[in-house]
Every structure is written in C-alpha cells, then in structure tokens.
Amino acid sequence: MATVLVASNRGPVSYALGEGGSLDARKGGGGLASALSTIDARESLWVCAALGEGDREAVRRGTAEPGVRMLDIDPATYTDAYNGIANSVLWFLHHHLYDIPREPVFDAEFHRRWESYRSYNRAFAETLAAEAAEGAAVLVQDYHLALVPGQLRDLRPDLRIAHFTHTPWASPAYLRMLPTDIREELLRGMLGADVLGFHTRAWAEAFEAGAGDLGRTQVATYPLGVDGEELRALAYRPEVDDRLARLRQEIGDRKTIVRVDRTELSKNILRGLQAYRELLTAHPEWRDRVVHLASAYPSRQDLEAYRAYTAAVRSLAAEINAEFGTADWQPVLVSVEDDFTRSLAAYRLADVALVNPVRDGMNLVAKEIPVVSETGCALVLSREAGAYEELHEDALAVNPFDVTETAEALRTALTMPPSERADRTKRLAATAVSLPPQRWFLAQLEALRS
Ligand code: G6P
C-alpha cells in the first residue's frame, strides 16, 4: 500500500510499439518525476492513463515501471474525456479561448462526453482508493482529473487529498457558461480536496470567486519554478553546443528573438508573429539585423482547431519571409518539430525572449530562458501569464492582444543596453529557481499532512 500517491493524465513514462512488437519505454514527466523520486519507491505510486497503443500494450503485457500504474481505460471513453471534455471544454474555459458567437455549445453530444469524463475520473478514484494506505496523501494533477478529489473522498474519507491546477482557472463569467448541474459537479469534485493548489493568486482568486462556499477546503498558491542546476546541465551538453553552432551560422551576427511553445492556441503565436512583422514595418532599420526563432512543437493534433492553428502559424511565418526576406536573410525561422536540443540552443542564444500567451497557468519558458541564457536576454512577457506575478519587475510587460505594444516592446528589448539586460536576467533567473519542482512538491505534501 502506498503512502504518497500522484495522479495525472500523462504519466512519467510512455511506450512506443517498435518493429517486431518490441516496446520502447520513454521517460518524461519533467519536474514531477524528479520530485517523486525523492520519496522511497516502495512508498509511492503514480497513477496515470495509458495514452496510446504502446501504453495499452504495455498494460496488457504487464510491463511497468516500478511505482507507476497505468490505467487502460476504454479508448472511446478516454478520447471523449481527454479530447472531448478536458482539452475542448475545460482547457477552453480556463484559458478563455472560445470564439463566443459560435462556442461553446452544450448539447446532447456534450452530455454524452461528460459521462465519459466522469467515468475516466472514476477509474482514477477507484485505483487510488484501492492502492492508498490508511491516511495516505494523494496529490491529484490538473483539469483532466477535477472530479477525482470528490469521488475519492466518498470512497476513502480517511485520505488526505490535494489537487493542483497547472492551468489558469476560468473567471466566474466563463465558469457560468457551463450547464448549472455540470458546473456544480465540477466544483464539488474540486472541493473534495483538503488543499487546492494554484500557480498564482490570480487563479486561486478566480477559483474562490466562482466557487462560493469553500467548506473545509484550503486554497493555496505554489508558484512552480525550475531546477536551475539540472536545466543548465542539460543546456550545456555537447550536442546542444553543436546545435547552437549551426544556428549561429544561419543567423550570423544578427540579434535573435526567441520563442518556444507547444503549438497551443493560448500561447498567442500568431499575434507574436504579427508584432514581429509590425516591428519590421515600423522600424525598417531592424531589417536584416534580427532573426525570429520560433519553435512550436506539435501538440494535441487530434483536435481540428490545433491543426488549423499550426497551419496558420506556418503560413504567417512564410508570408513574413516572403515580404521581407532577402537572398541571405530569412526573417523567421520556424520549427514545428519536437526538438528539445534546438530549443535549448535557442534559449542560450536568445537576445530577446517572447512569451506572450493570452492566458497561461505559469508559462515556465519565461523562467527557463533567463536561467540558461548565455549573455542575458530581455524578456517580453504577457501580463496574462502566471509567471508575470513573480517576474514583472524585470520583464517588459505587454498586453497580449496589443500587437503594436508588443512590437514596441520587442524594439525596446532589442535596444536594451547589455549591462541592463544582464542585470535583469540575473534577477529573473534568481526568481525562476526559487521554488524548484522538488520543493514545490514537498511543500504541498507538508501542507497536506499538517
Ligand atoms: C499543460 C497541462 C498539462 C499537460 C501539458 C501538455 O501544461 O497543464 O497537464 O500535460 O499541457 O499537454 P498534453 O495534452 O500533451 O498532456
């Protein structure tokens, strides 16, 4: 029986089916995985969903990493819950992404999918209930599993339950769009927890404002930071050096504006490109003196809105290159590959980091770039990113909808004196590492046990 349990949709390991039926394990899980590794493996259990065919096959064969339990949920149920509700409804509500004249539409199909979401949550709750020792601590992650705390509380009143939201929380007006009974079920699910964690006060307050009476639940903020040592070690490996040298060759001695995101609607990549275009139009002296490196690695491509968005990013970048490019200068270098080495190389050579989400739980990239930047970078940061709460003093703040303001901020960033840039970067990096994943996790565990 485990005394510390974590539950999340995406687990710390995934399996790919190789030729001839072999199963290749790939480890990920980021900060949470390293945090959990501080706890005795016999004491802890990480419950996650089987995401694809490789994972399902691993479950069938009984292949498993120690301390990890993958749930093989019926694929149709899983797809309805993950794509149909978590990523198409809850993600859109929490990030305010709806095109209001057309969406959301809560019809019979929505209600059918919600039932799948409920039973996908229930599969987690039942496994946790069966595996948890008396009085164990359970740390549930994110909007995928918002009903788990309440369901688990009903099954096991003895447990200490925390839920952490990695996204923003919808404003009360957005939350009210949900059908009343569904909104109440969602809140009841969340309020089954002893402690609800958010990255920032803004998201905690949005929750409190929409929830009304919190009962016995405590709401707290734990602004996740980065593990500076680990990240620097990764970013200064020889393969990243090689990559950086190649990028350097392409860019020459021009300045760089860097962004790295998932291809994600909330990241506001299109307005970022529009701002760059406006910079080149309004300040032609920057032509041929700057390159915009935009990495947008693929994400959630099962959803049509994400495929269309990825295509729009590519085509806007191509338009800018056609409009301003010359024989030896390509203004935008877009990469839509999952290429971590390239991203780290870009972090290192960034003169300017552009992080302009329309709304974002934290946006760790804003913390990562200053930590690995070689000579200091000026950070252009959206007021709607969670990271803004901690980093605003040393960043150049922008309204993510204001393309003209963003273009001006890019120019200010490009012309910032090197010493000021270095000083600001030092302070940004110090703030960025103030609550690394291990301490972020242990702080929640402590709060739960006290
Ligand atoms: C956000 C969510 C995470 C999620 C990640 C990647 O950061 O808060 O829970 O894992 O995006 O999204 P994906 O759908 O690929 O897991």
Side-chain angles (χ1 to χ4, degrees), residues 91 259-269 294-301 303 305-311 313-314 334-337:
W91 183 271
R259 75 172 307 138
V260 176
D261 312 275
R262 291 186 294 112
T263 49
E264 164 54 55
L265 311 183
S266 64
K267 303 293 180 187
N268 207 21
I269 304 170
S295 299
Y297 52 94
S299 179
R300 305 189 188 165
Q301 296 292 307
L303 300 181
Y306 281 67
R307 293 197 297 273
Y309 191 72
T310 310
V313 166
R314 279 184 200 266
V334 173
S335 156
V336 291
E337 317 288 302

Side-chain angles (χ1 to χ4, degrees), residues 75-209:
T77 305
Y78 179 75
T79 301
D80 283 342
Y82 174 72
N83 282 324
I85 298 294
N87 288 343
S88 299
V89 176
L90 298 177
W91 183 271
F92 275 62
L93 283 175
H94 290 324
H95 292 85
H96 298 181
L97 292 178
Y98 281 123
D99 178 11
I100 297 295
R102 293 179 181 79
E103 306 162 314
V105 175
F106 297 121
D107 54 4
E109 174 63 13
F110 162 78
H111 284 91
R112 195 187 61 72
R113 291 178 184 176
W114 185 264
E115 274 177 42
S116 294
Y117 179 75
R118 189 188 290 138
S119 59
Y120 150 87
N121 272 250
R122 178 154 286 278
F124 276 80
E126 283 170 356
T127 302
L128 293 164
E131 299 290 341
E134 177 75 20
V138 183
L139 295 100
V140 181
Q141 309 300 311
D142 240 350
Y143 59 101
H144 312 94
L145 301 178
L147 304 182
V148 167
Q151 294 171 338
L152 185 55
R153 171 79 52 215
D154 289 343
L155 295 169
R156 289 287 305 272
D158 61 298
L159 299 178
R160 304 290 294 163
I161 305 170
H163 182 283
F164 191 88
T165 296
H166 294 261
T167 63
W169 188 265
S171 68
Y174 268 76
L175 202 65
R176 276 200 305 275
M177 290 176 190
L178 281 173
T180 306
D181 56 332
I182 302 281
R183 186 186 78 230
E184 284 168 356
E185 184 180 351
L186 180 71
L187 290 169
R188 240 187 352 266
M190 292 287 285
L191 291 171
D194 296 288
V195 182
L196 289 177
F198 295 89
H199 281 306
T200 71
R201 272 317 303 160
W203 313 142
E205 280 162 14
F207 179 84
E208 288 166 351

